[in-house]
Amino acid sequence: TVDENGLVQAIAAGNAIITASCGEVKAECQVTVLKKEQTITWDQAFDDVTEGNIIELNAIASSGLDVVYKVIEGDAVIEGKLLTINTSGKISIEASQPGDNEFYSAQPVVKTFNVTSGIFDIKSESKKAIYYDIKGRNTNERK
């Protein structure tokens, strides 16, 4: 837009031709408005994730536009912002934002983490189990 003082204000990305005239004198100026850059950052850590967990994904686009998620490795499913982990192993999630009339698409960002089975294997533990009686006394220490 151009106000009464000739101040040009960009409304959206694209090209515009601004024409000014005074009597028979006329001038034109082409203005190009570029889209804005945007970035994505993950606003969460993926610690202690076990199979069967459902996690709400929280990556943020600097533009404020909605982020799109995709599983690129591992056995998991995404519905909207919810990630359901099916089995243990390595999971990689891609967060992207395709852009709009005002913003370029963001460079996708990948988050990779390990998922454990959540099953406790007592054979892998080197500590001996400790048993207590009903009064809370350690029964392993009795002779």
Side-chain angles (χ1 to χ4, degrees), residues 32-51:
T32 300
V33 178
L34 301 176
K35 290 184 178 186
K36 299 174 195 172
E37 299 285 333
Q38 65 171 324
T39 58
I40 296 175
T41 54
W42 282 97
D43 191 30
Q44 69 191 119
F46 291 90
D47 299 326
D48 301 322
V49 178
T50 58
E51 64 182 89

Side-chain angles (χ1 to χ4, degrees), residues 98-118:
D100 64 4
N101 290 338
E102 189 177 347
F103 289 92
Y104 288 113
S105 61
Q107 180 72 30
V109 178
V110 175
K111 189 76 162 182
T112 300
F113 55 95
N114 289 313
V115 176
T116 58
S117 69

Side-chain angles (χ1 to χ4, degrees), residues 68-116:
V68 178
Y69 303 97
K70 171 171 80 170
V71 176
I72 57 175
E73 180 180 1
D75 188 6
V77 177
I78 296 175
E79 291 183 33
K81 292 179 76 170
L82 295 180
L83 170 69
T84 302
I85 309 291
N86 293 323
T87 60
S88 60
K90 189 176 179 183
I91 302 285
S92 293
I93 307 298
E94 178 185 87
S96 62
Q97 206 308 307
D100 64 4
N101 290 338
E102 189 177 347
F103 289 92
Y104 288 113
S105 61
Q107 180 72 30
V109 178
V110 175
K111 189 76 162 182
T112 300
F113 55 95
N114 289 313
V115 176
T116 58

Side-chain angles (χ1 to χ4, degrees), residues 8 19 68 70 73 78 90 120 133-134 143:
V8 177
T19 304
V68 178
K70 171 171 80 170
E73 180 180 1
I78 296 175
K90 189 176 179 183
F120 180 72
D133 66 15
I134 198 162
K143 294 188 180 186

